[in-house]
Amino acid sequence: MSEQRQTERRVVIVGAGMAGVQTAVSLREQGWTGSVTLIGAEPHQPYDRPPLSKAVLLGHAEESAFDVDFEALGIELHLGREVTGVRPGAHEIDTPSGPVPYDVLVVATGALPLTLPGGEGVPGVHLLRTLDDAARLRPVLGRRHDVVVVGAGWIGAEFATAAREAGCAVTVVEAADRPLAGTLPADAAVPMAAWYAESGVELLTGARVARVEPGTVVLADGRRLAAGAVVVGIGARPATAWLAGSGIELGPDGSVTADARLRTSVPDVYAVGDCASFPSARYGERLLVHHWDNALQGPRTVAADILGGTPRDYDPVPYFWSEQFGRFVQYAGHHAHADTTVWRGDPAGAAWSVCWLREGALVALLTVARPRDLAQGRRLIAAGAPMDPDRVADPSVPLKTATL
């Protein structure tokens, strides 16, 4: 695309989280000379989310704003501005203060946390997704309340870790029979259950919440748990309700159904980050990845496609990490269709990994305090290299040398 034509074109990005900010920055890094407008619903300077459950929550940091000079990059910020709809035929989005025209639209609105049925409006019930959520929870930890966490997923474990560090008594309630039931196979997740007790956290599995009363969580079996605060971490859904009636195709999970270049079903509209699914040739299925690295990597593909460069499919090796109960946990890949599981080390120990193979190739791995396994494994997944399962199982053998 010629520079003169670029200069006349307007890119509007809806969503000022990691995916939106990185799209704007990537456009400038790759040479886009047209206008870039970034619209965020929150009033705060765009910020990073991972520190919310760690440093910000514990008061070690006041905020986690991105280190980006938007003015110097010529990125126009509109904060505290909700977008209510999009009209592709008119190339306009709707906001309470009037329509905003675009030549290219990027949907980067992320995901919204699921609320606990019956918990809305009950005093003391919290979510942890935004800077304001963390600000409301910080004094709760400061008062060392008895805390009940609903959901033993990644966010539940990270919040429980912070609450114990702050001196709170913590009970985690999980409807499934193990932590991370929706994320990891049972054999990989079960060893993590012991971490809760080691950290002084009571983990109740197979437990469903019947209702929340002020100061109390009532379980379906009649047990009553004292709760000065309740933190809900039961998952998230793509924030795409505002796209209703636009003609932009959504999947059954509410995600925007993007193609391999992160284009939507409507011309001149892209989708990136937590709100978008994409087809993975590597894994032979459509993926919806709710993790930071996806929001960092996808924008480069979007920016390149907007600039009209050589078409480049987006097919990453998904990656995420979690800090919980004194352990650094990392995961790369997608294990859903693996046919072989190989352990490296003792899952009762301080450091171990589990690898998933499919037809002899590494497709995913989970590591606990073994960062070298993760770094090497991630590259092996990307290469599709055939592996020797016996050598993979030997934790003294570097993964990169366990190939056939």
Side-chain angles (χ1 to χ4, degrees):
M1 187 183 300
S2 71
E3 186 168 324
Q4 180 178 354
R5 185 165 176 235
Q6 278 186 36
T7 304
E8 297 167 353
R9 288 171 64 79
R10 300 160 294 191
V11 176
V12 174
I13 303 163
V14 181
M18 171 62 83
V21 168
Q22 283 299 316
T23 300
V25 170
S26 292
L27 281 165
R28 292 302 189 216
E29 287 178 343
Q30 295 183 34
W32 179 257
T33 57
S35 73
V36 178
T37 300
L38 184 63
I39 302 177
E42 293 183 56
H44 311 288
Q45 278 291 113
Y47 61 87
D48 205 5
R49 293 189 189 280
L52 297 185
S53 60
K54 306 173 185 72
V56 174
L57 185 62
L58 289 168
H60 302 325
E62 287 299 316
E63 58 179 31
S64 55
F66 292 115
D67 184 18
V68 175
D69 190 334
F70 294 99
E71 185 176 357
L73 290 172
I75 297 167
E76 187 178 344
L77 277 181
H78 293 271
L79 301 176
R81 193 172 187 184
E82 195 80 36
V83 176
T84 56
V86 55
R87 290 174 287 112
H91 273 59
E92 288 182 341
I93 58 172
D94 293 318
T95 77
S97 53
V100 177
Y102 68 84
D103 292 299
V104 178
L105 175 66
V106 181
V107 178
T109 40
L112 295 172
L114 297 172
T115 57
L116 185 66
E120 299 93 332
V122 177
V125 177
H126 300 264
L127 300 169
L128 181 52
R129 181 74 181 184
T130 69
L131 190 60
D132 288 340
D133 290 338
R136 283 188 288 267
L137 276 165
R138 194 157 55 188
V140 170
L141 299 192
R143 292 191 291 269
R144 298 187 177 180
H145 280 303
D146 289 345
V147 176
V148 173
V149 180
V150 182
W154 300 113
I155 193 67
E158 291 182 2
F159 179 80
T161 300
R164 283 300 295 146
E165 186 174 332
C168 299
V170 183
T171 302
V172 177
V173 177
E174 171 56 51
D177 62 354
R178 62 185 186 274
L180 297 165
T183 308
L184 295 176
D187 55 350
V190 164
M192 298 179 174
W195 301 352
Y196 289 74
E198 288 174 14
S199 300
V201 174
E202 185 175 10
L203 173 63
L204 303 178
T205 57
R208 294 186 177 277
V209 175
R211 65 184 183 277
V212 180
E213 301 170 356
T216 304
V217 172
V218 183
L219 301 183
D221 61 9
R223 283 179 288 178
R224 300 174 68 87
L225 308 177
V230 179
V231 177
V232 180
I234 56 175
R237 66 181 185 277
T240 55
W242 65 283
L243 299 175
S246 66
I248 295 173
E249 182 183 347
L250 304 181
D253 54 12
S255 65
V256 178
T257 305
D259 70 6
R261 286 153 59 186
L262 300 179
R263 300 173 300 182
T264 74
S265 60
V266 167
D268 302 321
V269 181
Y270 294 79
V272 66
D274 289 6
C275 66
S277 66
F278 56 90
S280 170
R282 186 189 315 279
Y283 292 107
E285 65 179 289
R286 181 167 286 276
L287 299 181
L288 174 61
V289 181
H290 280 188
H291 292 296
W292 185 90
D293 191 66
N294 178 52
L296 174 68
Q297 303 292 343
R300 296 168 188 162
T301 295
V302 171
D305 209 71
I306 290 172
L307 278 150
T310 303
R312 186 174 63 195
D313 287 354
Y314 183 61
D315 197 4
V317 174
Y319 166 74
F320 68 88
W321 78 96
S322 176
E323 295 175 82
Q324 52 182 270
F325 307 120
R327 294 164 171 87
F328 187 50
V329 183
Q330 294 175 281
Y331 176 95
H334 182 63
H335 65 265
H337 302 296
D339 53 38
T340 305
T341 302
V342 183
W343 289 85
R344 286 169 63 80
D346 181 359
W352 49 273
S353 299
V354 56
C355 299
W356 289 277
L357 311 181
R358 184 181 184 188
E359 297 177 356
L362 187 67
V363 293
L365 80 163
L366 173 78
T367 68
V368 177
R370 289 183 66 94
R372 189 170 297 172
D373 277 3
L374 189 289
Q376 295 178 8
R378 196 175 179 184
R379 289 192 289 269
L380 291 167
I381 294 169
M387 307 295 293
D388 178 345
D390 292 335
R391 289 177 61 76
V392 170
D394 185 345
S396 69
V397 173
L399 266 182
K400 66 182 179 181
T401 67
T403 55
L404 291 172

